[in-house]
Amino acid sequence: MTPPVTAPPAVVRLNPVIAGSEVDSRDTAELTGVDGQVVAEVGLAPRLLAQAAVQRVRAHAGAPAPAAELFAAAGELFATAALDGESPAEYQRRVAAATGSPRAAVERATASIRAALARIEDLNSAELPAPFAEGGFARHWVPRGKVLAVVVPNNHPEPNVTWVRALSLGYSVLLRPGSKDPFTPRRLTAALLRAGLPPHRLAFLPGGHDLGDHLLDQADLGIVYGGPDAAARYGNRRDILVRGPGRSKALVDAASAAALPDSLTRWIADDGGVRCNNISAVLTSGDAGELADALARRLAALDVHPVTSAKALLPATTKTNAEALAPYLADLAAQGTDHSSALYPDGPLSVLPDTSVVLRPLVISVDDPHHALLGTELPFPFVVVAPWREEHGTAPLRDSLVVSLNGRHTRLAEELLREPSVRKVTTGDVRPWLSRPELPHDGSLAGFLLEPKALIHAT
């Protein structure tokens, strides 16, 4: 049955916000959704306006951090209130239409952001040592600077929690939103201001890469989300924290490969495969081709729906992007064995009546755990399956945000924790993104933003 076509979200205007006030910019850009319809008109911050925002934010920076209750209230408003005339449901449909992420993923992210802001004090304190005070000696953790610039990603709304946490640690924030999802940071800005955030603590400044570079140069510290290019460009700067590609991997033995195909499918495809901790490579000491076939069959069973539908499980892109993507995917598939394309009568790029193109899962197997395809990360369920033997050791698992170990390979957990390029390890039937406040996701945000200083007084 042909999926129903839902009405496109209304076009909205998003302007820069400086000191709590919108600035009607003459420089604008149309934000087009995956169905080719205009979703928003975005007012861009030119260099002079951005510099004025920097000066106003810095002039009022350095005040104590707002109370935790403010952030909890903002999280509640973000998830439940009409903000700037936009309901939560309208916000979620708009993000799905603009980014191509399944609407259900945006709904879950909304709930996760609300929960994170409700426990923001726990998130921050969990990353720091226990307080120390003894006699006339005490240790205080204080901000390393006053102004933070953040370049926000498009792939998922949840990374926006990072810059809200920076506000809760005493920073003032210069925010350059993603080009496809300015909606989440703009809605959070509105929620924070309504909850009582001092207006000069935050500037929302849409713009291109040049604007992001300018803000990073003007701030005391910066945080950048991006792909390999961003990691290469900023990775050596001590004043910038880079949150780059995930390249998350799983290592399974033959027994666990047979027992976990449904779990592996979820780890690859949940939230449309757009998360940095979705699995994009599976290594196995069993039969790689057999496992790839099993994964391909399960992933091919995921239904195709418009991303604005509550039933959507897979991401989508525009027809123009899909046409450019097709030869690239064909080249990737030619480098190994394609286990998926034959399962799709209309091909892996499925065109819907609204002209959006759903990106169906692609599973490729290779015969070498050091193959160049391992580490390839795409914004939809894409996975490379490769063989692994004891003599390969942990080398094929390096450069991973998460490594999931199953079966007898769980014994490698401590060795992988000592590998600097691996950020997190899970063992057994555990979702790669499962966590709690006391556990780091990708290092310590508080450890980057704060530093310890001594306070000594006469007793």
Side-chain angles (χ1 to χ4, degrees), residues 91-448:
Y91 152 72
Q92 290 156 1
R93 287 192 67 228
R94 196 166 279 120
V95 173
T99 66
S101 294
R103 180 171 175 175
V106 184
E107 292 173 353
R108 286 190 292 271
T110 302
S112 295
I113 291 171
R114 177 189 193 179
L117 269 58
R119 60 180 188 181
I120 204 158
E121 217 166 29
D122 293 337
L123 293 175
N124 293 335
S125 62
E127 292 185 354
L128 297 173
F132 173 79
E134 185 177 290
F137 303 90
R139 177 182 58 213
H140 289 255
W141 286 85
V142 298
R144 293 174 57 203
K146 295 180 180 181
V147 178
L148 175 75
V150 184
V151 176
V152 187
N154 294 303
N155 66 306
H156 202 278
E158 284 186 43
N160 283 276
V161 171
T162 300
W163 62 263
V164 181
R165 284 184 58 195
L167 290 168
S168 76
L169 291 168
Y171 278 84
S172 295
V173 173
L174 303 166
L175 186 64
R176 200 224 76 180
S179 59
K180 286 293 185 181
D181 181 16
F183 309 105
T184 300
R186 179 63 185 89
R187 184 172 176 82
L188 276 168
T189 297
L192 287 160
L193 291 171
R194 186 185 291 188
L197 181 77
H200 291 93
R201 300 300 290 257
L202 177 61
F204 170 81
L205 302 166
H209 293 294
D210 289 347
L211 175 64
D213 290 341
H214 177 68
L215 297 178
L216 290 167
D217 288 338
Q218 294 296 309
D220 302 319
L221 295 175
I223 299 175
V224 176
Y225 287 83
D229 291 344
R233 184 170 188 175
Y234 299 110
N236 292 325
R237 286 184 57 171
R238 296 187 63 187
D239 62 330
I240 295 179
L241 176 65
V242 179
R243 294 282 168 87
R247 300 191 180 108
S248 297
K249 303 177 181 68
L251 174 61
V252 298
D253 61 17
S256 57
L260 289 174
D262 290 332
S263 293
L264 283 170
T265 299
R266 289 193 295 273
W267 301 350
I268 295 163
D270 270 11
D271 279 358
V274 302
R275 304 173 67 114
C276 56
N277 38 27
N278 282 112
I279 296 297
S280 58
V282 178
L283 293 98
T284 179
S285 51
D287 188 311
E290 184 178 310
L291 176 56
D293 279 336
L295 292 175
R297 287 193 300 271
R298 282 168 172 79
L299 289 164
L302 297 177
D303 289 336
V304 171
H305 296 279
V307 289
T308 52
S309 167
K311 297 180 179 179
L313 298 171
L314 296 170
T317 190
T318 64
K319 191 173 182 180
T320 300
N321 286 346
E323 289 170 351
L325 185 62
Y328 174 70
L329 295 181
D331 178 66
L332 290 181
Q335 297 180 48
T337 301
D338 180 353
H339 296 259
S340 296
S341 296
L343 302 174
Y344 305 132
D346 58 347
L349 301 175
S350 187
V351 183
L352 298 185
D354 68 357
T355 76
S356 67
V357 180
V358 173
L359 303 168
R360 305 193 71 176
L362 180 58
V363 180
I364 298 172
S365 68
V366 295
D367 57 9
D368 181 0
H370 299 289
H371 195 285
L373 277 185
L374 274 90
T376 303
E377 196 170 57
L378 297 174
F380 67 97
F382 172 83
V383 65
V384 179
V385 183
W388 180 91
R389 296 188 302 275
E390 295 286 343
E391 57 265 32
H392 294 132
T394 59
L397 301 169
R398 293 172 183 160
D399 299 312
S400 302
L401 177 59
V402 184
V403 174
S404 298
L405 300 172
N406 285 273
R408 59 193 176 89
H409 303 316
T410 58
R411 61 184 175 75
L412 296 172
E414 290 193 13
E415 184 177 350
L416 279 168
L417 286 175
R418 292 191 294 269
E419 166 56 49
S421 67
V422 172
R423 310 303 293 161
K424 176 180 172 183
V425 177
T426 67
T427 64
D429 192 354
V430 173
R431 289 169 294 153
W433 45 88
L434 184 67
S435 192
R436 53 183 294 168
E438 294 82 3
L439 299 176
H441 164 68
D442 185 7
S444 168
L445 177 66
F448 172 73

Side-chain angles (χ1 to χ4, degrees), residues 33-51:
V34 294
D35 60 358
Q37 301 297 313
V38 177
V39 180
E41 186 180 56
V42 182
L44 306 177
R47 177 66 67 90
L48 285 176
L49 180 62
Q51 188 56 36

